[in-house]
Amino acid sequence: MTTSFGPDAGSTHPRAALMTVAAALCLLAAAGPSGVEPLAMTEVAPGVFVHQGAIAEPAPDNRGDTANMGFIVGDSGVAVIDTGGTPELGRRLREAIAARTDREPVIVINTHMHPDHVFGNAAFADVPIAGHANLRDALAARQDVYRQRLTDELGAGASAGIPRVRVDRPVAGEVRIDLGNRLLVLTAHPTAHTNNDLTVFDRKTGTLFAGDLLFIDHLPVVDGNALGWLSVIDGLERVPAIRAVPGHGPAMVDWPGALDAERRYLTVLVEGVRRVLTAGGSIQEAVAHVVEGERDRWLLFDAYNPRNVTATFAELEWE
Amino acid sequence: MMRYPLMGLLASLLIVLSTPAPAATDAAEDAARWDLLHDMYFKDRPVEEAGGRIRIDAPARAHDAALVPVRVEVEPSLRLKTLSLLVDKNPVPLAATFHFGPASGGGGIETRIRVNEYTNVRAVGETQDGRLLMTEAYVKAAGGCSAPAVKDPQEAMARLGRIKVKLPETPVAGVPATAQVMISHPNSSGLQFDQVSRTYIPAHYVRSIVVRSGGRTVLEAETDISIAEDPNLRFSFVPVEGGTLEVVAHDTKGATFAQTVPLAAGAGKDEPAL
């Protein structure tokens, strides 16, 4: 991935860099000398930086780096948007921030509860966390399972130091955050990908951090409500952005055209499940047949399509 | 990636320490777990392998950990008194016990369970003469971000208690037919820790479901937290001419939910909300 430096990326402040190094040394004193390797970032718009995660399930070869994350630099501070799938990725993101600006992180925004987006919060223990009003309860109900999975996938070292769930700024409806000459609009959405999806709109550059309400290339994952998601897409489409940062996929995509593929998949999913329900079929029959035509259009289709069909079947059988 | 030998050494140690145990140990662990459950639920009664007379159909990998469909098929000649469904590694392994009544059309059941981790799922049938027959299937937990939790608790509470019954369009009196009962309920496990109040959120789940056909019992189910939210049963019953299918469920907070559906052609396709 290429790294670009924009005009107001800011230069590394020597003292901030020193302090970061000192902090890193303290943390690692017991383990011996080590540096934290900053994450590769792309500046997708002035002062808007994105790290692109692999389109894959967390595994040793990608070290859990499977979701996009980013940060936005204002005159008075930095907003961090998602922190990656492990505490280590969070530390590397923080190192990347320190390498680009002398402003400090003033807010961490979690776009939703999934572990590949929030476990890096561990590196931001001193920074308030904003999230959807449902985020705290939703993550609290799942965190132990998520942590165990991460241990299974990457080893106990990767999941060490995950802190207990914390949401300091719960968002219901819409909240604005002023980073200094830079206003961010945080919007909490009704149940779609999950029941705690939050988007972040940078008005200055027209950049929308869509979180996992926008999947590109990676098959969309329904952990909420497929019909709800389709209706949230209809609303999101009207956000006056010129580019979006998906939760999974390239660092940036055109808006709103990037929504088309995901909308098509969800529509075919809903229609297919309805057909099986009308015919009196079972979940297993739906899993075997629904949305087969989409298989070649997405990555990770077999990993997530059966689950999407299962969840959507359980949702639609109440219609 | 490893620029410092000491870090590399530590990392390797951690990897070694966290490597899953070899398969042989897993099998031994599974056997030990079953010994424990056998003792807990069936005491000193012998449990035989069902050997094809009872079959269990579950996905090899749970697609959604909160909702794993499980179908148990029972050989028609085997008139079961009860059928128990166990999920070995779940916090409460006994998911449900079904007691079949005179209006049952056979001991087969389809339902949906929660799966916490890689686990055996077992069906144990009890014959009329008191023998216990067991079959099992291994289910791998779902990967990624799937967790056995309620997806939308507010929505679940909003429609709590709604019952939907699906019947065959043209049931014939006396000929076993398949029905499906859905009960909208979050089926909260009580295992969710509230990190602000430092207490566990109280359990709230459906603990019994009784189904009758024309006044006679089809089945009585004792259900627990391994049953997925919105408890969902498919079963076989014997229709009665001009009769009804009656469903009564109780939850752990003392609430009763009931629905009676006539067996007329097409009935039950679109039951209104309670």
Side-chain angles (χ1 to χ4, degrees):
Chain A
M1 181 192 306
T2 56
T3 305
S4 57
F5 293 88
D8 61 294
S11 58
T12 306
H13 192 286
R15 194 172 50 189
L18 259 180
M19 284 175 65
T20 311
V21 170
L25 282 174
C26 282
L27 278 171
L28 295 164
S34 175
V36 175
E37 181 192 349
L39 284 177
M41 307 297 300
T42 303
E43 188 167 15
V44 300
V48 181
F49 297 86
V50 175
H51 172 75
Q52 185 185 345
I55 298 183
E57 297 206 77
D61 67 345
N62 57 45
R63 298 159 78 188
D65 183 10
T66 59
N68 294 346
M69 48 190 136
F71 61 90
I72 300 176
V73 182
D75 288 349
S76 57
V78 176
V80 182
I81 301 162
D82 286 344
T83 56
T86 64
E88 169 72 7
L89 287 164
R91 287 190 285 273
R92 293 179 60 197
L93 175 61
R94 192 148 192 177
E95 196 65 26
I97 296 169
R100 301 304 175 110
T101 174
D102 58 356
R103 319 289 199 281
E104 290 293 324
V106 292
I107 189 87
V108 167
I109 302 163
N110 286 146
T111 60
H112 65 292
M113 68 187 175
H114 285 149
D116 48 338
H117 298 263
V118 304
F119 276 168
N121 288 1
F124 298 89
D126 56 331
V127 183
I129 295 174
H132 191 292
N134 290 336
L135 173 64
R136 190 192 69 93
D137 285 354
L139 182 54
R142 295 164 172 82
Q143 173 143 311
D144 288 348
V145 174
Y146 288 166
R147 182 179 13 222
Q148 184 55 48
R149 289 256 164 82
L150 184 61
T151 305
D152 294 345
E153 286 156 352
L154 299 183
S159 60
I162 291 171
R164 66 190 185 91
V165 180
R166 174 168 67 92
V167 179
D168 306 292
R169 309 264 186 282
V171 177
E174 204 173 277
V175 163
R176 278 144 206 253
I177 292 180
D178 188 356
L179 293 178
N181 194 27
R182 183 154 217 162
L183 209 58
L184 302 185
V185 183
L186 278 56
T187 306
H189 297 276
T191 302
H193 168 62
T194 68
N195 78 333
N196 51 87
D197 301 311
L198 181 83
T199 53
V200 182
F201 183 49
D202 172 40
R203 297 218 292 201
K204 193 167 183 168
T205 62
T207 305
L208 177 72
F209 278 76
D212 279 7
L213 287 176
L214 178 61
F215 278 81
I216 306 290
D217 303 330
H218 182 309
L219 188 80
V221 178
V222 182
D223 200 11
N225 178 319
L227 283 178
W229 198 343
L230 281 166
S231 116
V232 165
I233 286 174
D234 289 342
L236 265 186
E237 195 171 40
R238 293 194 289 272
V239 174
I242 55 173
R243 71 180 67 78
V245 179
H248 299 270
M252 71 164 192
V253 290
D254 290 336
W255 189 260
L259 285 167
D260 293 349
E262 170 180 286
R263 177 190 269 136
R264 183 197 66 230
Y265 170 78
L266 292 171
T267 304
V268 172
L269 172 68
V270 165
E271 287 170 355
V273 169
R274 277 190 179 136
R275 271 196 299 275
V276 174
L277 278 165
T278 304
S282 67
I283 288 190
Q284 291 93 320
E285 285 157 10
V287 165
H289 300 116
V290 170
V291 216
E292 270 303 300
E294 289 279 315
R295 171 183 294 275
D296 296 336
R297 299 178 167 191
W298 300 96
L299 298 170
L300 299 175
F301 184 88
D302 289 326
Y304 291 105
N305 190 62
R307 173 231 184 105
N308 291 343
V309 172
T310 301
T312 303
F313 190 102
E315 170 194 338
L316 297 180
E317 67 189 336
W318 287 94
E319 280 186 329
Chain B
M1 161 183 151
M2 292 300 177
R3 276 170 292 173
Y4 300 98
L6 187 54
M7 276 297 282
L9 184 66
L10 278 172
S12 322
L13 257 177
L14 284 172
I15 289 165
V16 168
L17 288 173
S18 61
T19 301
T25 317
D26 283 354
E29 260 178 41
D30 288 349
R33 182 74 179 167
W34 166 239
D35 283 346
L36 187 83
L37 299 182
H38 183 178
D39 188 51
M40 193 187 319
Y41 296 119
F42 305 103
K43 308 291 182 231
D44 48 6
R45 297 173 67 185
V47 177
E48 307 163 45
E49 285 294 331
R53 285 170 292 177
I54 300 177
R55 287 176 305 282
I56 188 163
D57 178 22
R61 177 176 277 275
H63 305 310
D64 182 340
L67 201 169
V68 182
V70 174
R71 177 168 54 210
V72 181
E73 289 170 13
V74 178
E75 207 173 84
S77 62
L78 207 61
R79 295 290 299 180
L80 290 183
K81 192 154 77 178
T82 71
L83 180 75
S84 296
L85 203 56
L86 293 94
V87 189
D88 282 20
K89 298 271 188 70
N90 274 11
V92 179
L94 184 60
T97 299
F98 304 93
H99 303 261
F100 300 104
S104 167
I109 282 285
E110 187 173 336
T111 188
R112 299 167 190 176
I113 57 173
R114 294 178 166 131
V115 170
N116 266 42
E117 53 182 304
Y118 284 34
T119 183
N120 275 311
V121 176
R122 296 173 197 274
V124 179
E126 183 185 24
T127 61
Q128 297 294 338
D129 56 0
R131 290 164 67 206
L132 295 173
L133 305 174
M134 179 180 75
T135 187
E136 72 222 41
Y138 193 68
V139 176
K140 292 181 180 173
C145 41
S146 175
V150 177
K151 286 187 182 60
D152 193 340
Q154 286 140 342
E155 163 80 13
M157 288 310 285
R159 66 173 192 208
L160 180 141
R162 184 179 161 196
I163 295 180
K164 193 167 173 178
V165 180
K166 291 184 179 179
L167 294 170
E169 292 200 15
T170 49
V172 177
V175 178
T178 300
Q180 183 179 9
V181 168
M182 303 158 54
I183 301 167
S184 187
H185 201 289
N187 244 32
S188 309
S189 67
L191 300 172
Q192 181 186 336
F193 191 64
D194 186 314
Q195 300 189 334
V196 171
S197 67
R198 310 298 294 166
T199 56
Y200 285 92
I201 294 162
H204 183 202
Y205 58 92
V206 172
R207 61 177 175 78
S208 75
I209 303 166
V210 176
V211 181
R212 294 188 194 92
S213 169
R216 298 196 310 156
T217 301
V218 176
L219 60 84
E220 294 180 1
E222 301 157 50
T223 50
D224 213 303
I225 57 172
S226 286
I227 294 290
E229 73 175 288
D230 299 338
N232 192 311
L233 296 182
R234 265 196 208 219
F235 52 86
S236 181
F237 74 106
V238 180
V240 175
E241 186 69 49
T244 58
L245 201 73
E246 180 192 351
V247 181
V248 182
H250 297 281
D251 77 7
T252 50
K253 287 189 177 173
T256 299
F257 314 105
Q259 175 91 294
T260 300
V261 184
L263 287 184
K269 290 203 81 179
D270 270 307
E271 285 310 309
L274 272 184

